[in-house]
Amino acid sequence: DIGILIVDKSPRIQSYLAEWLMRHNMPVAWVNDETKAADLCSEKSIAVVLINTSTPGVDPYRLCKTIKQESRIEKTAVIFLIGKPFVYDPVRARDAGADGYLTKPLVSNHLLSTLKKFLPPLWR
């Protein structure tokens, strides 16, 4: 099973998060499009999905809704990673089932405290 799924095409963010999450012994998977993310969520148990809202070709609201409907586990958390120029719509996010958001650039202690809310005790 996977602790965290990251939906992103940016090698810079991927390498930063991979290094940081590995130091915290959190199992991570990466995908770069909506279809792969939805498929993985329906096949594996994933605790948290981080969606980079500036990933080309990814509608974070649609993907969030799909994950919430197709997830293998009841409580997969979806967190948006928001940077400019994306404009966060709290109503659309709530309707899609999003559990929260973090603004970029990511601050390590904010990321860790957010993840701890949603990860099973094993990975805290």
Side-chain angles (χ1 to χ4, degrees):
D1 286 348
I2 299 165
I4 301 166
L5 173 63
I6 299 172
V7 182
D8 193 341
K9 287 185 180 172
S10 165
R12 190 172 43 120
I13 290 178
Q14 285 184 5
S15 60
Y16 166 77
L17 285 174
E19 180 184 315
W20 187 83
L21 293 167
M22 283 190 291
R23 280 197 309 252
H24 289 85
N25 297 316
M26 295 180 190
V28 180
W30 303 90
V31 295
N32 60 11
D33 67 50
E34 284 186 54
T35 303
K36 289 176 186 167
D39 290 348
L40 203 53
C41 287
S42 67
E43 296 165 7
K44 305 261 185 210
S45 296
I46 298 171
V48 179
V49 179
L50 300 174
I51 302 173
N52 182 349
T53 58
S54 52
T55 302
V58 172
D59 177 333
Y61 303 106
R62 180 178 59 217
L63 178 55
C64 178
K65 189 170 194 147
T66 300
I67 289 168
K68 292 293 188 170
Q69 292 170 345
E70 297 182 9
S71 174
R72 282 193 62 214
I73 60 176
E74 194 175 310
K75 299 273 186 188
T76 296
V78 177
I79 308 293
F80 290 172
L81 303 178
I82 298 173
K84 293 175 183 166
F86 185 81
V87 177
Y88 181 74
D89 182 337
V91 174
R92 284 186 71 197
R94 184 184 62 239
D95 290 348
D99 295 282
Y101 69 92
L102 292 166
T103 54
K104 298 185 292 185
L106 296 172
V107 178
S108 298
N109 58 338
H110 291 168
L111 179 61
L112 187 59
S113 63
T114 300
L115 291 175
K116 282 184 173 184
K117 289 182 204 171
F118 301 108
L119 286 172
L122 174 67
W123 294 317
R124 291 185 188 169

